[in-house]
């Protein structure tokens, strides 16, 4: 699941730096050096696989940044859904949220949720907090 997380986070932070009037390129270079705060949560959703996939897509798209659909990859018994959400102070820190939905038995579907964000000098634990928030939404 970590594949591409760092690249996405660096690109998002560089874009944020450029929009705020700074140098997006410099921000991207600095972002590569920052540590990452990542948190994983394993869930069992008590619904059939197809319903669980739709539920996860809906929750992640609701948590993601406006105008960006969830990225979905499928291979039959697994679906990987990924969005970029906002975390930290004011929701400004980009957080890559990835859910791996796996077909279980009967009306049980397994979801491995991972959220990752870059951390600056002030530790906001945006990855951890975002993973917890989305896990709560999925558990309802």
């Amino acid at each position: 699941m970590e594949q591409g997380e760092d690249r996405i986070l660096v690109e998002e932070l560089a874009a944020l730096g450029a929009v705020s009037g700074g140098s997006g390129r410099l921000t991207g270079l600095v972002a590569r050096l920052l540590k990452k705060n990542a948190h994983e949560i394993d869930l069992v959703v008590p619904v059939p696989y197809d319903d669980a996939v739709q539920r996860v897509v809906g929750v992640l798209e609701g948590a993601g940044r406006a105008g960006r659909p969830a990225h979905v990859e499928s291979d039959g018994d697994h679906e990987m859904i990924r969005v970029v959400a906002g975390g930290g102070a004011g929701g400004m820190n980009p957080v890559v949220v990835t859910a791996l939905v796996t077909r279980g038995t009967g009306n049980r579907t397994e979801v491995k949720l991972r959220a990752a964000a870059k951390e600056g000098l002030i530790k906001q634990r945006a990855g951890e907090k975002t993973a917890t928030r989305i896990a709560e939404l999925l558990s309802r």
Side-chain angles (χ1 to χ4, degrees), residues 5-112:
E5 271 180 356
D6 286 325
R7 180 186 52 80
I8 294 168
L9 289 170
V10 167
E11 289 173 359
E12 289 288 327
L13 287 167
L16 187 60
V19 167
S20 65
S23 168
R25 186 172 160 170
L26 179 60
T27 304
L29 289 172
V30 172
R32 285 187 177 103
L33 302 174
L34 296 175
K35 290 184 180 181
K36 185 168 52 173
N37 172 252
H39 190 69
E40 293 184 5
I41 299 175
D42 293 324
L43 302 167
V44 175
V45 182
V47 296
Y49 177 74
D50 293 330
D51 294 338
V53 169
Q54 292 304 316
R55 184 174 180 179
V56 170
V57 168
V59 167
L60 290 186
E61 283 185 340
R65 296 211 168 148
R68 293 185 175 178
H71 174 76
V72 180
E73 292 180 15
S74 177
D75 76 355
D77 286 336
H78 304 284
E79 295 272 347
M80 185 188 82
I81 302 111
R82 179 174 276 171
V83 298
V84 177
M92 294 298 292
N93 192 8
V95 182
V96 175
V97 181
T98 307
L100 181 62
V101 183
T102 304
R103 189 179 303 275
T105 56
N107 286 342
R108 295 174 47 100
T109 304
E110 298 171 16
V111 179
K112 184 177 192 105

